[in-house]
Amino acid sequence: MKYDILIVDSNPVNLNFIEEIVNGLEVNIHKATSPDSAIEIFKSRQIVLIVVSTNIDNNNALDFIELVRGLTGGEKVKIILVSKDMPDEDVIYKIINQGVVDFVNNPISPQMIIGKINVYLNIIKDKEVLISKEIAEKHTAQS
């Protein structure tokens, strides 16, 4: 099964670079250069993971993440934040409270981003397997 991931960065070069890195994974890649287009893509697909740059248009990535969290399914999506500079502790606290699960430094290490994406995709797959087993057990118990 291929999962839908969304890459958000206002720089098309960065988008293409990340797409090229993750292209070998079993994912459907969706790209957005603005928060508005990212929100539209998110609403029209079953996005399980977002890789978002702190540099998206004039908007703050935290504002974008807050918008996503308010959408149906947004509370469940995994988010990896790409940042040129490590934010200060107060910002990190706010980011974590908004549900960002990981950080990647820019410039991006291909091995690092692939590894992090694979970790979260495996968590999602494992959760689906557990849910399927639970459903099967309930069905068997009711029979």
Side-chain angles (χ1 to χ4, degrees), residues 44-130:
S44 67
R45 303 272 192 259
Q46 288 192 309
I47 302 295
V48 297
L49 177 72
I50 298 174
V51 179
V52 61
S53 171
T54 54
N55 181 29
I56 50 173
D57 282 348
N58 292 328
N59 280 340
N60 182 319
L62 294 177
D63 294 337
F64 168 72
I65 293 165
E66 192 173 322
L67 284 172
V68 168
R69 292 294 183 217
L71 298 172
T72 302
E75 68 282 354
K76 296 178 192 172
V77 69
K78 307 295 182 224
I79 299 175
I80 298 174
L81 190 67
V82 178
S83 180
K84 187 174 183 177
D85 302 310
M86 191 63 167
D88 66 35
E89 196 170 302
D90 291 338
V91 174
I92 291 173
Y93 179 75
K94 189 173 183 180
I95 290 168
I96 290 170
N97 280 332
Q98 286 188 336
V100 171
V101 294
D102 218 332
F103 297 91
V104 176
N105 289 329
N106 200 354
I108 296 170
S109 158
Q111 296 84 0
M112 183 70 71
I113 194 77
I114 287 172
K116 289 179 184 258
I117 289 172
N118 274 329
V119 164
Y120 296 110
L121 292 178
N122 286 333
I123 289 170
I124 292 163
K125 288 176 191 174
D126 290 347
K127 185 177 179 181
E128 288 176 350
V129 167
L130 287 173

Side-chain angles (χ1 to χ4, degrees), residues 13-44:
V13 172
N14 292 344
L15 283 176
N16 292 333
F17 179 69
I18 296 172
E19 178 183 33
E20 198 173 295
I21 291 170
V22 300
N23 204 22
L25 302 177
E26 289 191 33
V27 294
N28 297 315
I29 302 165
H30 306 279
K31 301 184 294 184
T33 56
S34 73
D36 291 340
S37 61
I39 293 294
E40 290 307 311
I41 292 169
F42 185 85
K43 287 178 179 178
S44 67

